[in-house]
Amino acid sequence: MDLPEIALVNVLSRFPLKSIARFRTVSKEWRSLIDSDFFRDQYISFNSSSSLSWSIIQTNPHKLSLEIIGHHGCNTWGLDRSPASFLRFFAKTTIRKLLVLSCTDGLVSICAEASDGSPLYYIGNPLMEDWFQLPLPPFLSSQDLDSLRKNKRFSDTGFVTKMRSGVVVSYKVVWMLTHGRLSDKLDFMIYSSETGTWRKRHVSCPRTTDWERQDKSIALNGVLHWLSEDTPSFDASSIVAYDFYGGGDGDECRIIHFPGSQIDEVTGDNLSQRVYRRSFTASEGSIVYFNEFHENETHTLRVWRLVKYEDCPEAWQLSWDLKLTSLTESGICYFPMVMHPLNSDIIYLWNWTAKGLVLFNLRTRVFCVRKEAEEDGKCMDGCSLSFNWCSEYMDSIRKYNLPGYQRGPNSLFFSQYVLPRWLHRLPRPQST
């Protein structure tokens, strides 16, 4: 590569991806350069520490709005509005209902209901306005699919990706059917973008588990993670995980108990000390669990990171163990939401008395409160915050976070939609 081209790479790498997308239309030479692996790697390396736009997504899509908190104005993309506002969908037929099933690595899974009631499934990259309609499984008739969708043990929300050099190179859509509420057997129907085909996979679990929450999962590194418990209960005791890129027929799901769910002498996690029901989130490429504990009249926040997909004490690594003096002295009443997906020092809490978002830096112990009424609220990474029916959603789920609430199981109430660091197109099956 000659010097002028290298100089052009260095200049272009300083622009946000929104501008890079426009630069591709300047000339064939610029398009060829920008689409090259060399430029992609240089751009990602140069902007590796830049902030990314992302959203906190609520997981009850029939209510209110999908995105409850958006982050925009971040360096990498340079967007002037939140990521979910770019979600535009144009179907070739009339639709009467649209449901976002899942979001991962910048891609979105959608189910549209046609005017005759038949389901239409799509995978898309909203920012690139690139959509693909999934073929339905050939081994299911329309009547079979209609019956499945009415079955409480069926979930069509599973969606995982494979990343390479910061680019999504393939994805898998996962439909799941459990054998009853209490079962150690699972049936998966998996669509692969690499082959363009569906296949069935029968999987067992090491022990019987309760599948009350199978319709909500978090995808990370090709693995789906569900909340579960050993026996019917209102609080989860474990995470069930399955690797859809590393697993195969005959493989088992992994069950990993939360710290303290089996009376851990080190953490002392029990109902009288633990303040909130168990849940988990994702941050910096790991599954993270955090909770508050009341011990000796003090409030302690503990954060664990999942480091081994094994059911043993070494599975979880304690990352933070700190007193919440600054929060409690300020009179803030909160419940946990998520970790920042790109910075594991920052935790998101909801102040349910003042109806505001609490951004808490675990390393510096500094926190700030952002309310929906603020016109230009800022995140700790410099991005602008936008709210959309956030208070209403928080009010509807607050009771489910309390251990003493006995009218329904806790669930995964939040997920994160994080934009990628590059302009990858939607993977499609290789033509035969």
Side-chain angles (χ1 to χ4, degrees):
M1 181 175 290
D2 56 27
L3 182 59
E5 200 167 62
I6 293 177
L8 180 59
V9 168
N10 291 333
V11 171
L12 293 181
S13 296
R14 288 164 168 77
F15 285 86
L17 285 174
K18 183 175 68 173
S19 300
I20 297 296
R22 293 200 307 267
F23 294 157
R24 294 179 73 251
T25 65
V26 170
S27 67
K28 290 183 179 179
E29 290 76 14
W30 278 39
R31 177 186 290 269
S32 177
L33 173 64
I34 291 172
D35 289 347
S36 67
D37 292 345
F38 175 78
F39 182 79
R40 177 202 65 206
D41 294 343
Q42 286 291 105
Y43 188 91
I44 293 176
S45 176
F46 184 82
N47 295 279
S48 60
S49 60
S50 298
S51 56
L52 276 173
S53 295
W54 64 285
S55 302
I56 297 178
I57 303 296
Q58 58 98 344
T59 57
N60 288 329
H62 295 290
K63 299 179 180 179
L64 308 172
S65 171
L66 175 73
E67 178 191 74
I68 53 175
I69 298 175
H71 300 68
H72 63 277
C74 306
N75 296 333
T76 301
W77 279 90
L79 303 178
D80 56 3
R81 61 185 195 271
S82 65
S85 65
F86 290 88
L87 183 56
R88 300 187 183 96
F89 178 76
F90 302 97
K92 296 180 180 179
T93 184
T94 302
I95 61 174
R96 65 185 186 188
K97 186 186 296 184
L98 186 64
L99 181 64
V100 176
L101 301 175
S102 53
C103 310
T104 182
D105 293 323
L107 302 185
V108 177
S109 170
I110 282 178
C111 180
E113 190 173 291
S115 56
D116 62 357
S118 60
L120 305 170
Y121 290 90
Y122 293 85
I123 301 297
N125 183 331
L127 285 177
M128 305 296 287
E129 296 186 358
D130 189 10
W131 294 94
F132 173 71
Q133 183 177 349
L134 289 177
L136 296 179
F139 44 79
L140 291 179
S141 67
S142 57
Q143 292 81 8
D144 291 336
L145 182 56
D146 184 59
S147 298
L148 274 178
R149 296 179 71 220
K150 295 176 181 177
N151 191 329
K152 292 182 179 180
R153 303 304 164 202
F154 173 72
S155 171
D156 56 4
T157 61
F159 185 38
V160 294
T161 61
K162 178 192 286 186
M163 301 284 288
R164 185 179 300 136
S165 301
V167 175
V168 175
V169 295
S170 72
Y171 64 82
K172 292 184 179 182
V173 175
V174 180
W175 293 359
M176 170 177 157
L177 182 65
T178 63
H179 293 211
R181 178 176 176 179
L182 289 172
S183 175
D184 62 351
K185 304 292 183 185
L186 297 172
D187 289 335
F188 292 125
M189 289 165 274
I190 305 168
Y191 175 85
S192 169
S193 67
E194 296 176 352
T195 64
T197 59
W198 289 86
R199 62 167 297 185
K200 296 180 181 179
R201 183 177 296 176
H202 306 287
V203 176
S204 61
C205 298
R207 64 179 67 87
T208 298
T209 188
D210 188 290
W211 290 103
E212 185 70 10
R213 309 167 178 87
Q214 81 277 1
D215 61 326
K216 306 290 191 302
S217 62
I218 289 180
L220 185 67
N221 303 325
V223 180
L224 281 182
H225 306 78
W226 298 269
L227 274 175
S228 189
E229 64 267 347
D230 300 326
T231 58
S233 170
F234 293 110
D235 194 7
S237 61
S238 58
I239 290 176
V240 178
Y242 188 77
D243 186 349
F244 287 90
Y245 280 97
D249 289 327
D251 286 351
E252 286 190 331
C253 289
R254 300 297 180 96
I255 297 180
I256 307 105
H257 283 85
F258 285 106
S261 60
Q262 296 177 313
I263 310 299
D264 192 315
E265 294 181 359
V266 176
T267 64
D269 181 5
N270 59 53
L271 188 61
S272 62
Q273 295 176 331
R274 181 166 43 85
V275 178
Y276 304 106
R277 291 184 179 186
R278 300 184 185 95
S279 187
F280 63 92
T281 181
S283 181
E284 291 195 55
S286 296
I287 293 296
V288 176
Y289 162 61
F290 60 92
N291 214 320
E292 180 186 327
F293 299 85
H294 282 180
E295 301 165 330
N296 301 320
E297 299 184 354
T298 62
H299 299 257
T300 302
L301 179 69
R302 295 194 177 103
V303 181
W304 290 268
R305 185 167 62 95
L306 183 62
V307 294
K308 281 186 179 181
Y309 280 79
E310 299 176 9
D311 199 18
C312 62
E314 295 78 24
W316 295 93
Q317 181 182 80
L318 184 63
S319 303
W320 296 100
D321 187 346
L322 52 89
K323 302 293 187 296
L324 296 174
T325 307
S326 57
L327 280 179
T328 54
E329 289 182 349
S330 300
I332 292 178
C333 298
Y334 72 90
F335 61 86
M337 293 177 62
V338 298
M339 300 287 291
H340 193 296
L342 307 170
N343 186 343
S344 58
D345 288 351
I346 301 175
I347 193 169
Y348 282 58
L349 313 168
W350 182 253
N351 183 351
W352 55 270
T353 51
K355 297 189 183 301
L357 178 68
V358 181
L359 308 174
F360 189 92
N361 190 308
L362 299 169
R363 191 170 301 278
T364 64
R365 316 290 173 90
V366 173
F367 73 91
C368 59
V369 181
R370 297 287 182 256
K371 297 184 178 181
E372 292 188 64
E374 295 177 347
E375 294 184 1
D376 190 26
K378 291 287 186 179
C379 179
M380 288 182 169
D381 58 8
C383 296
S384 297
L385 290 170
S386 60
F387 296 87
N388 195 1
W389 296 94
C390 188
S391 295
E392 287 80 357
Y393 182 66
M394 297 303 176
D395 287 343
S396 71
I397 67 169
R398 182 171 70 89
K399 59 188 177 184
Y400 293 102
N401 287 276
L402 304 175
Y405 186 73
Q406 299 292 312
R407 294 188 180 179
N410 59 325
S411 186
L412 294 172
F413 292 112
F414 310 99
S415 65
Q416 302 141 311
Y417 174 48
V418 185
L419 297 189
R421 292 196 176 274
W422 186 243
L423 299 163
H424 58 72
R425 306 295 298 185
L426 183 67
R428 278 179 164 78
Q430 306 240 343
S431 56
T432 56

